[in-house]
Amino acid sequence: MANLLSIINPATEALIQEMPVDDKAAVAEKYARARAAQPGWAALPLADRIKPILRFRELLVERVDALAALLTSETGKPITQARNEILAVPGRIDFFVENADRVLSLERVYAEPAGALPGMGSLEEVIGHDPLGVIANISAWNYPYFVGGNVFIPALLMGNAVLYKPSEFATLTGGAIADLLHASGIPQDIFIPVIGSGLTGAALLEQPIDGVFFTGSYATGQKIAIATAPKLIRTQLELGGKDPAYVCADANGAVAAAALADGAFYNNGQSCCAVERIYVHTEVYDEFFEAFLATVRGFKLGDPTDSDTYLGPVSRKPQLSVLAEQVTDALAKGATLCCGGQTLDRPGWYFAPTVLTEVNHTMTVMQEETFGPVIGIQRVASDAEAVALMQDTPYGLTAAVYGTERDRAVDILRQIKTGSAYWNCCDRVSPRLPWSGRGHSGLGTTLSQAGLYTFLQPRAWHLRAG
Ligand code: NDP
């Protein structure tokens, strides 16, 4: 009998559905189908690959209510944030579609007339690009439309076949994405969902795939890098973060507080680029802290299907213990608990929004990824102290500086090892800019033109007339 995956609603703890899991044989069969179909897909004119992607774009908007409800049911993401996520995908599709032709066009970089070398015909040097082939897209549950779409949309446009393994915590959404792509005209064998847990993901990596595009934790990213190393294939890892924000002495404390509270608590802190550590210059600390706490106290926590809810349950039950352990560790080492600090006595995996002050870098809450509604705020006496603390992490996904002087902020951010640098903004992703991490935050780039080239391999054409 097939193994079954239980899909649980994090807000009610009710079983939504059980789904059969793909075993190794099923994964191998899906791989074989993708391998057979991919050359035909790559040979189509680009316009024929763009057409179904644009239809997918339309269907996302038409069906946003049902898709958002499904996402909310299995991840606990508040319905308004689920809608926001889905409705931001069209902007990314537009960027990819607008740039696909330029990236795929042949580029003549050198020409030599006939006779330049005695007796030889003319020479052209041309750069072309080929798709990678069959790629695995192993995705996370926290933003399935974003993190999946950043991979499968450009990968399909560039002519690849995609074996898509949604997280086991976003399996229904993964299935809905596959249904929508197929209804839009993407062939069944070109985008194939692979259903299961990490074991299924590992089975996928055993196939002779041509690339793996993974979004998830550093721990799993390491396992993927080890598993794929002997294959010498394109391996892209979008991993976690411990993203810092610094509020300079000249910042507007109240404005920075409202923005950073949202950056820390949006999607219940379960964003790769959530603000995870805040450093505040002592001159603006009191104003900032008061406004921050007031903002957090004003967040509406509750039923994620209610459109006013800002904080729902966390998506995975084991995360509740991680959050509780970070709070206990911080309090044992001298932190002050300003609000929250515990799970809520109600059905569902709810953790109260938690603000800790008097924190320092001996505490796990300032060192390890929290990935939940818990934030530490540390007072600093100078920009130099802030830079040293911001840099004290093996991660490097994003960093933010709030203050009125652009030059000062840029100077601080230049000193930080980070893939994205924000001045007076945070927790922000743009399709036009590269998304990448440093250190434990990963390898490779999605979005921007680099996020199209990553699904291609260059070919050097040396063309001499006979
Ligand atoms: P995990 O690392 O737990 O899982 C990620 C994916 O890998 C899931 O599909 C998982 O399957 C699968 N997987 C687990 N074990 C293996 C294995 N041995 N071989 C192959 N696949 C495997 O991460 P989460 O899903 O919990 O995602 C949260 C993490 O993702 C956070 O660290 C977050 O910061 C990061 N993230 C990074 C982003 C970025 O852009 N840098 C964006 C979004 C999230 P299953 O879930 O079924 O076990």
Side-chain angles (χ1 to χ4, degrees), residues 5 138-143 147 150 165-171 196-205 214-221 223-224 227 237-241 270-273 276 316 369 371 395 397 435-437 441-442 446:
L5 191 65
I138 301 181
S139 201
W141 47 267
N142 58 343
Y143 287 94
V147 299
N150 292 350
K165 217 278 299 152
S167 163
E168 68 178 278
F169 304 103
T171 300
S197 66
L199 285 177
T200 309
L204 187 48
L205 299 179
F214 168 79
T215 309
S217 62
Y218 169 67
T220 311
K223 285 187 204 159
I224 300 224
L237 308 170
E238 295 203 357
L239 309 179
Q270 302 169 120
S271 306
C272 52
C273 52
E276 291 238 344
R316 292 165 310 160
E369 191 172 35
F371 225 62
Y395 291 104
L397 193 58
W435 188 250
S436 67
S441 292
T446 50

Side-chain angles (χ1 to χ4, degrees), residues 287-328:
E287 179 196 353
F288 174 88
F289 173 70
E290 208 175 290
F292 191 90
L293 202 57
T295 307
V296 174
R297 288 200 165 123
F299 287 147
K300 185 166 179 239
L301 180 147
D303 178 358
T305 65
D306 179 342
S307 58
D308 291 335
T309 294
Y310 181 83
L311 291 169
V314 297
S315 302
R316 292 165 310 160
K317 191 175 184 186
Q319 197 63 14
L320 293 174
S321 331
V322 173
L323 301 176
E325 279 163 23
Q326 288 198 354
V327 172
T328 305

